[in-house]
Amino acid sequence: MKKIVIALLIALLCLLSACGHPVAEEEGNAQAVYFLMEGEQGRTLAYEVIDLQEDTLQLQIEAVLEAMRTPVNTNHTALLSEDIQVRAVEIFGSTVVIRLTGGYDQLSTIGRSLLDSAITLSLCELEEVRYVRITGDRSNAVGFMSESSVVLED
């Protein structure tokens, strides 16, 4: 009886440890990249899985940001549009600072919030990244965002 209870507890812990992570670690170089999806219930963020081949964190971040420009699914819309350029990517331990130029400062508050959330969720899927800070030319960062600070309704 004890063995059954212990086996059930271990199975439950394994299930709970995967919560919030759409891409399993066993999938090798799989990486979730977030896009905007508009449906009957309104706008939400949806992800697509890409195959990440880069070996350094800097290159992985750049590849994720570039992948965010071109969704494969026709129901998804890129939030990181071509008129928004990445001026700099700075890495400080587990924190990444993204400096954007161009159209970022012209985004509405909701548009900026959606883009910031998509970038944060996409980059926090990388093992080494825990926090993301995003700034524009004239807009200051709201603060440090993490995967848990992004609230999405199901």
Side-chain angles (χ1 to χ4, degrees):
M1 181 68 173
K2 284 184 180 180
K3 290 182 181 181
I4 293 173
V5 171
I6 290 173
L8 288 174
L9 285 174
I10 290 173
L12 180 63
L13 287 174
C14 289
L15 286 173
L16 291 176
S17 68
C19 289
H21 295 283
V23 179
E25 289 183 22
E26 297 86 39
E27 295 177 17
N29 295 329
Q31 169 71 32
V33 177
Y34 286 79
F35 298 95
L36 179 67
M37 184 174 78
E38 296 197 38
E40 294 177 11
Q41 303 297 324
R43 296 187 288 186
T44 188
L45 294 178
Y47 69 91
E48 296 178 6
V49 178
I50 63 167
D51 185 28
L52 203 57
Q53 297 296 320
E54 290 69 15
D55 56 352
T56 68
L57 181 58
Q58 180 78 29
L59 293 175
Q60 290 173 352
I61 292 168
E62 292 170 6
V64 167
L65 293 172
E66 189 58 35
M68 290 182 70
R69 297 186 188 279
T70 54
V72 174
N73 187 324
T74 57
N75 295 324
H76 295 166
T77 304
L79 288 161
L80 188 57
S81 61
E82 292 299 325
D83 64 328
I84 300 172
Q85 295 83 35
V86 179
R87 182 172 43 128
V89 173
E90 300 170 309
I91 303 168
F92 304 96
S94 63
T95 301
V96 176
V97 177
I98 306 293
R99 301 191 191 283
L100 301 175
T101 62
Y104 181 76
D105 290 319
Q106 282 72 46
L107 290 173
S108 66
T109 303
I110 293 172
R112 191 176 303 141
S113 177
L114 285 167
L115 175 57
D116 291 355
S117 297
I119 291 173
T120 299
L121 289 173
S122 296
L123 294 182
C124 283
E125 286 292 322
L126 296 169
E127 187 176 327
E128 298 90 352
V129 178
R130 297 292 166 252
Y131 300 99
V132 177
R133 186 174 187 159
I134 302 164
T135 64
D137 288 331
R138 294 186 301 268
S139 59
N140 293 325
V142 174
F144 294 94
M145 297 177 68
S146 68
E147 188 174 34
S148 62
S149 67
V150 176
V151 179
L152 299 174
E153 293 183 8
D154 290 328

